[in-house]
């Protein structure tokens, strides 16, 4: 495990210092021109039906992968992974760091030919904040003046610091200086939508013939639960820079099936290998391993017995041998998660936040048994009844869940029942908090400890555990305006310590991306925060 651990950390240092958050391209070529007479088309696998293609409601990586190719925000990632102007041509920031003035590029068009204006962004952002919308992630906007009050029903929309005084100007006023605000602007909830299209049809983003987008691609066809096809958007301002003309997203959940589809040439890219295949593929020229600023967890519903008891939650965490999972099951460069913040963020001391913070919940069956006994005594129970862990249907998740099931049985004598659901159904189950324990992976909103720690504040839209802690909330809130980097890290370390003590979630491992890319394809960009970027890829067969 030590070698894997060091390898992952070394890769992340390279990512941060050289590419500012992006993994190297696969077979990157200095020739930016696609080969003549080669159809620029790629076929990959989503794994299942996207939950939604409406940016306001997207919450999962399956949806995000399609959305990131269909829409463009004020800022966008270029082919080198640098955050650059997208729909914006210029950004001015006031001296106090609180007022951002964005100038929109002239002549921008929606895929239906409508003009794109600053008012589209104002409408889209306020739509997410509107409490009647019930959007997925309005809390991302809470850095903006008046946003939280409006979203929680305690203020008017007119008091929100988002205004478009003319078609090419968007003015945003923050409550306090926020150093990472620009990084948020490429996220799904900050993407624009066309007001007339949204208001004309409730399910406007549910079919290929009604969705209207502004990014590099348009939705050419959508056969639900089977396939999505994207083609280049001729109205996109940077159309000529987009080398991949057509993207086919298949929807095959079974890992053995999509692995064989890659082997027979039906797929050019698979973004998640079957666990059984990783060892044999590591020496394959088509194998790509890259870091991911994300953590694989099991979430507790802390209002569902027996997990209302903190010691019982802690007992399960000590009973799980994370080293065995990453060494014997996943075996793909993941690191055991003895904390919540993934590797990859370098502190002012030039150390990784993870290495600078405490190591929580190393495998300790005796400590697990002691905590379980104490928790049972506190509840007046003689034994723990069978508990249920839920996970979404996928080979990798099944094997991890089965390993955790066996560890808890062996080390605590507790029976764990496993239930699985297809992705779109599972997302609804998770959002409705219809679980005792449920698998989920969380990626950082941006490359910063706050990008994952903020998920568990009381009001955060990603907190589905029912857990709330006032001290934790205060520490997270205080870290945002703190201008001293060392003091800010100290606040975030204290917050993580509370999260790990209270344990509304069990971190299992820090993920790595393991993909197979056909040698006929060059230029796919793998990113620590996003799914593979296919816009600048080229077929070179």
């Amino acid at each position: 495990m030590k070698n894997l651990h060091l390898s992952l950390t070394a890769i992340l240092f390279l990512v941060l210092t050289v590419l500012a958050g992006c993994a190297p391209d696969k077979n990157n070529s200095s020739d930016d021109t696609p080969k003549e007479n080669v159809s620029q088309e790629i076929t990959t696998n989503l794994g299942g039906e996207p939950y939604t293609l409406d940016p306001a409601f997207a919450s999962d990586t399956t949806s995000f992968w399609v959305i990131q190719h269909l829409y463009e925000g004020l800022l966008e990632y270029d082919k080198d992974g640098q955050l650059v102007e997208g729909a914006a041509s210029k950004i001015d920031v006031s001296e106090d760091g609180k007022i951002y003035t964005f100038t929109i590029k002239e002549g921008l068009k929606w895929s239906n030919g409508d003009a794109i204006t600053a008012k589209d962004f104002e409408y889209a952002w306020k739509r997410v904040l509107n409490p009647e919308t019930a959007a997925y992630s309005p809390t991302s906007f809470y850095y903006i003046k008046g946003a939280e009050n409006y979203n929680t029903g305690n203020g008017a929309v007119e008091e929100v610091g988002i205004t478009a005084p003319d078609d090419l100007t968007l003015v945003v006023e923050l409550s306090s200086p926020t150093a990472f605000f620009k990084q948020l602007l490429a996220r799904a909830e900050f993407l624009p939508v066309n007001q007339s299209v949204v208001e004309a049809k409730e399910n406007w983003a549910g079919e290929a013939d009604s969705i209207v987008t502004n990014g590099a691609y348009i939705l050419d066809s959508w056969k639900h639960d089977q396939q999505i096809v994207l083609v280049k958007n001729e109205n996109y301002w940077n159309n000529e820079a987009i080398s991949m003309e057509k993207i086919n997203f298949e929807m095959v959940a079974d890992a053995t099936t999509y692995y064989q589809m890659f082997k027979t040439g039906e797929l050019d890219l698979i973004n998640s290998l079957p666990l059984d295949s990783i060892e044999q593929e590591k020496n394959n020229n088509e194998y790509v391993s890259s870091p991911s600023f994300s953590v694989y967890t099991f979430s507790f519903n802390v209002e569902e017995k027996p997990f209302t008891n903190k010691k019982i939650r802690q007992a399960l965490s000590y009973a799980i041998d994370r080293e065995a999972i990453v060494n014997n099951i996943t075996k793909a460069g993941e690191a055991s998660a003895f904390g919540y913040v993934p590797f990859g963020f370098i502190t002012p001391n030039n150390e990784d936040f993870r290495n600078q913070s405490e190591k929580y919940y190393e495998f300790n069956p005796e400590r697990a048994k002691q905590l379980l006994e104490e928790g049972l005594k506190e509840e007046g129970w003689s034994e723990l009844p069978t508990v249920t862990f839920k996970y979404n249907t996928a080979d990798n998740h099944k094997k991890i869940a089965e390993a955790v099931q066996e560890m808890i049985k062996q080390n605590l004598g507790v029976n764990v029942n496993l239930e699985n659901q297809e992705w779109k159904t599972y997302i609804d189950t998770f959002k409705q908090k219809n679980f005792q324990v449920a698998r989920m992976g969380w990626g950082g909103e941006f490359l910063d400890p706050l990008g994952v720690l903020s998920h568990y504040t009381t009001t955060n839209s990603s907190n589905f555990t029912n857990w709330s802690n006032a001290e934790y909330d205060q520490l997270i809130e205080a870290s945002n305006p703190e201008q001293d980097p060392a003091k800010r890290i100290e606040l975030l370390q204290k917050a993580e310590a509370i999260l790990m003590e209270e344990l509304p979630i069990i971190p299992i491992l820090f993920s790595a991306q393991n993909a197979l890319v056909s040698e006929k394809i060059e230029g796919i960009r793998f990113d620590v925060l996003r799914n593979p970027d296919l816009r600048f890829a080229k077929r070179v067969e």
Side-chain angles (χ1 to χ4, degrees), residues 59-99:
S59 60
D60 60 294
T61 56
T62 303
S63 301
F64 290 152
W65 199 5
V66 182
I67 285 171
Q68 76 186 54
H69 289 86
L70 287 175
Y71 299 86
E72 180 176 77
L74 294 169
L75 297 182
E76 181 59 275
Y77 291 98
D78 66 12
K79 65 188 304 181
D80 297 317
Q82 301 297 322
L83 197 60
V84 299
E85 286 80 7
S89 63
K90 185 176 66 168
I91 304 172
D92 295 308
V93 184
S94 62
E95 288 188 10
D96 64 3
K98 293 172 63 175
I99 298 177

Side-chain angles (χ1 to χ4, degrees), residues 336-389:
S336 299
F338 299 116
Y340 188 69
V341 177
F343 289 95
F345 179 79
I346 309 305
T347 71
N349 294 339
N350 204 30
E351 285 186 77
D352 195 290
F353 182 94
R354 184 74 272 129
N355 291 330
Q356 192 175 309
S357 300
E358 189 174 337
K359 209 171 184 181
Y360 302 95
Y361 297 104
E362 292 188 84
F363 182 49
N364 189 333
E366 294 307 313
R367 178 65 174 146
K369 291 173 185 175
Q370 178 187 347
L371 283 164
L372 179 60
E373 183 178 341
E374 292 174 4
L376 290 173
K377 186 175 181 180
E378 288 176 358
E379 300 297 330
W381 299 333
S382 58
E383 63 179 7
L384 203 65
T386 298
V387 297
T388 299
F389 279 45

Side-chain angles (χ1 to χ4, degrees), residues 456-467:
Y456 293 97
T457 56
T458 300
T459 60
N460 193 280
S461 48
S462 293
N463 184 356
F464 296 101
T465 66
N466 286 316
W467 179 73

Side-chain angles (χ1 to χ4, degrees), residues 462-517:
S462 293
N463 184 356
F464 296 101
T465 66
N466 286 316
W467 179 73
S468 176
N469 183 284
E471 185 180 359
Y472 183 84
D473 292 348
Q474 290 166 4
L475 287 166
I476 295 297
E477 184 177 357
S479 72
N480 176 39
E482 178 56 62
Q483 298 300 299
D484 184 324
K487 288 182 180 178
R488 180 173 180 273
I489 293 303
E490 184 179 348
L491 291 170
L492 294 173
Q493 287 172 335
K494 288 179 179 178
E496 187 189 46
I498 292 172
L499 185 68
M500 291 294 92
E501 168 67 20
E502 293 292 316
L503 208 69
I505 42 86
I506 300 180
I508 301 295
L509 57 85
F510 299 126
S511 304
Q513 296 185 71
N514 294 278
L516 288 175
V517 180

Side-chain angles (χ1 to χ4, degrees), residues 73 109 156 245 262 273 301 387-388 438 485 516 539:
K109 292 182 179 181
E245 296 177 356
F262 178 86
L273 274 66
N301 184 339
V387 297
T388 299
L516 288 175
R539 180 174 290 278

